[in-house]
Amino acid sequence: MRKKYFLCICFTLVSQVWAQNVAAIYAEDELILTSFGQGHPFKVSAGGTHNLRDRKDYYPDIGVTESVFIQSAGNGTSKTLRGLDIGDFDLSTKMLKLWFKLEEVQNIKDVSISVGNEKLQNFVTFSLLGNQGQKWLTEGDWVPLAFSWNPSAISKKKLQPGTTIEDLRKNITDVQIRLVDKGTGPASLHISRISAMEEPRTKYPNGLISLTFDDNWASQYLYAKPKLDQYHMAATAYVITGFLGTPNYMTLAQLQDLQASSKWEIACHAFDPVMHLTGYNKYPAEAVEKDMLKVKTWLSEHGFGFGADGKHGLAHFAYPKGEFKRAGETDVLAIARKHFISARTINEKHREVWPAADLHKLRVLYITGPKTPEAVIAEIERGKKAGEWMILVLHDLVEEHQRNDQWEISKFNQLMDYIGTQQGETPVRVVGDVISEMD
């Protein structure tokens, strides 16, 4: 037991170093619109406060030594940071990426970035916020955020007659950041860089898909496994070990068979079912870290591992209830960064990109009870056109759903028939396979 626990700790250290190396690699974006250095052309609107050259707080490890800070007035008005004619950038094959931090998140009504030309007579706007309970942007975290040109991600656009989004992308000269508070107090934004990363068109011209299943429901073995086997597809299963062998959940033998005969990737979700149902963020940091290590150790002891390269299976994690950080609660995100190469959320405001913007905040397409196969397929089609990494999240498969985390077997089969027959265009890969290609 102690030997295997020590082995798990060693893999944790390897995972941590590898993730840091990947973060450094992808900090070097191909095209930098601005790093807000000396003489940058951005100006701010009246009201609130600002510092256009903040040398005390900036994104680490990307070669910058300052940032721009803006704070709204707190009365419901907006604060803008605008740069006109900052260059002539061709983003026809590139995705926009920001390096920034938000504070007083509870006061934010909206924060967005608009890119365009002709002094913003043509523009598209991407809102950085989502309306899910599980927030992707959390208080006081420096984050890189990349988003594709999926129409679902564009919150507003204005194009002169005869101008298309494709035309606009070829000629970006103007950028505006807009921060709006709720009128309940000021909100703050720090930003160190606006850049662009190449779309994965050479490697994945029509995007790629990862199928993920949470909570080791028995229905995943009974219904998902044979359907995926039909198309020679494998999935990533995020496991709660305490549920194994209990009614309605898989047995250990079934989980082992998923790995052995169907090549599923077995990853970590939680050890203690009660902690999962409550949410890690409600427990002290020491208890959360202990549970993370226990699930890795238990799975390792029962035949599941990290793969030959150390970058599969137990190197990956999904946040219980999708929660990783809220004000005044345990910072689960920081603990996950210590012990896993990746951590998956249930946030779907913006789909994930390849390479991933933040390996410990993987974004998803969350499939819940009310969704139809047609709606999911439509989302996948948009994701294919945008070259996204589409991480699908499923839970319990049933004849007729009663809960939000259930989905009808008939709907699932229809969706898998579509995905299975599209593999020639859009490959299906387990999470570990996709991430291992990023180093």
Side-chain angles (χ1 to χ4, degrees):
M1 175 67 177
R2 288 183 177 178
K3 180 179 179 181
K4 292 186 177 181
Y5 188 81
F6 176 75
L7 179 65
C8 189
I9 295 293
C10 289
F11 271 112
T12 289
L13 295 174
V14 170
S15 297
Q16 185 178 355
V17 170
W18 184 85
Q20 290 171 344
N21 290 341
V22 169
I25 290 171
Y26 290 106
E28 301 174 3
D29 287 302
E30 182 174 324
L31 179 64
I32 298 174
L33 279 64
T34 183
S35 285
F36 296 105
Q38 184 175 1
H40 71 76
F42 282 74
K43 301 182 184 301
V44 292
S45 62
T49 61
H50 62 269
N51 183 350
L52 293 179
R53 297 196 64 194
D54 184 352
R55 300 178 184 179
K56 295 182 179 179
D57 194 2
Y58 46 84
Y59 196 101
D61 304 324
I62 62 170
V64 301
T65 56
E66 55 191 88
S67 67
V68 164
F69 167 77
I70 62 173
Q71 185 180 66
S72 65
N75 57 7
T77 57
S78 65
K79 180 78 171 179
T80 60
L81 174 70
R82 177 182 291 183
L84 302 179
D85 298 318
I86 65 171
D88 186 2
F89 302 103
D90 184 355
L91 303 189
S92 56
T93 63
K94 295 179 174 62
M95 300 176 285
L96 202 63
K97 187 170 184 179
L98 311 180
W99 308 79
F100 69 105
K101 177 173 74 172
L102 294 175
E103 293 176 314
E104 298 93 25
V105 172
Q106 72 280 4
N107 293 331
I108 297 177
K109 181 178 181 180
D110 190 29
V111 57
S112 63
I113 180 169
S114 299
V115 292
N117 55 37
E118 298 189 25
K119 293 182 170 48
L120 291 172
Q121 291 303 302
N122 295 307
F123 69 85
V124 295
T125 300
F126 300 89
S127 177
L128 278 55
L129 295 185
N131 56 8
Q132 289 179 259
Q134 293 81 8
K135 302 300 183 186
W136 194 90
L137 294 172
T138 50
E139 179 74 23
D141 290 323
W142 276 105
V143 295
L145 172 61
F147 38 88
S148 72
W149 290 81
N150 188 326
S152 298
I154 296 173
S155 58
K156 186 178 180 181
K157 65 181 178 181
K158 177 184 176 183
L159 301 172
Q160 295 178 340
T163 301
T164 66
I165 288 181
E166 288 70 27
D167 296 330
L168 178 72
R169 290 179 65 176
K170 294 176 183 177
N171 177 222
I172 299 296
T173 61
D174 310 326
V175 177
Q176 176 177 280
I177 306 287
R178 184 171 182 261
L179 177 65
V180 187
D181 64 55
K182 299 175 181 177
T184 56
S188 302
L189 166 71
H190 306 252
I191 182 165
S192 278
R193 175 174 287 173
I194 302 173
S195 61
M197 57 188 288
E198 196 71 24
E199 292 177 331
R201 296 300 186 178
T202 302
K203 191 172 187 64
Y204 297 113
N206 297 292
L208 71 157
I209 291 173
S210 291
L211 303 172
T212 70
F213 291 83
D214 287 5
D215 304 349
N216 41 279
W217 292 94
S219 60
Q220 296 168 12
Y221 184 84
L222 297 174
Y223 305 113
K225 170 181 157 50
K227 192 63 181 178
L228 268 61
D229 286 349
Q230 178 184 339
Y231 292 103
H232 306 287
M233 299 187 299
T236 299
Y238 293 99
V239 176
I240 305 167
T241 54
F243 276 148
L244 288 168
T246 63
N248 300 318
Y249 293 93
M250 275 189 256
T251 64
L252 174 59
Q254 288 173 329
L255 190 67
Q256 290 169 330
D257 187 50
L258 277 181
Q259 177 180 258
S261 67
S262 297
K263 310 305 179 186
W264 282 37
E265 178 178 54
I266 308 304
C268 301
H269 202 14
F271 180 84
D272 184 345
V274 176
M275 289 186 69
H276 166 267
L277 293 171
T278 305
Y280 269 180
N281 56 315
K282 298 294 194 297
Y283 288 87
E286 296 79 6
V288 171
E289 188 163 28
K290 182 178 180 180
D291 199 73
M292 285 182 181
L293 293 175
K294 285 175 71 175
V295 66
K296 291 176 78 173
T297 302
W298 192 97
L299 287 169
S300 177
E301 288 176 341
H302 290 83
F304 307 100
F306 300 82
D309 59 2
K311 303 171 187 175
H312 288 74
L314 307 188
H316 306 292
F317 172 72
Y319 296 103
K321 300 178 75 68
E323 294 283 9
F324 47 84
K325 187 174 182 182
R326 285 178 180 267
E329 296 179 350
T330 295
D331 188 351
V332 184
L333 173 65
I335 304 171
R337 290 194 194 279
K338 289 173 57 179
H339 298 296
F340 298 96
I341 285 176
S342 81
R344 201 216 66 209
T345 73
I346 58 173
N347 190 280
E348 58 176 350
K349 168 60 181 175
H350 303 290
R351 302 284 181 263
E352 195 50 81
V353 299
W354 192 93
D358 188 330
L359 288 171
H360 295 89
K361 288 186 176 182
L362 294 179
R363 299 163 290 176
V364 305
L365 174 52
Y366 194 46
I367 300 178
T368 55
K371 287 191 177 179
T372 66
E374 292 79 10
V376 178
I377 290 170
E379 287 288 352
I380 291 174
E381 286 293 324
R382 286 190 284 269
K384 287 169 62 175
K385 292 178 181 177
E388 294 175 343
W389 176 18
M390 293 160 279
I391 305 173
L392 278 59
V393 179
L394 294 124
H395 290 78
D396 192 15
L397 301 177
V398 295
E399 294 292 339
E400 184 174 350
H401 83 270
Q402 303 294 326
R403 304 188 313 268
N404 204 45
D405 67 342
Q406 294 178 326
W407 213 43
E408 280 78 5
I409 299 166
S410 59
K411 294 179 180 179
F412 174 79
N413 288 340
Q414 182 179 337
L415 178 61
M416 292 305 109
D417 285 336
Y418 161 77
I419 292 175
T421 56
Q422 296 288 312
Q423 289 184 85
E425 293 183 5
T426 306
V428 178
R429 311 285 303 281
V430 298
V431 170
D433 281 350
V434 178
I435 291 180
S436 67
E437 295 176 348
M438 295 182 189
D439 59 352

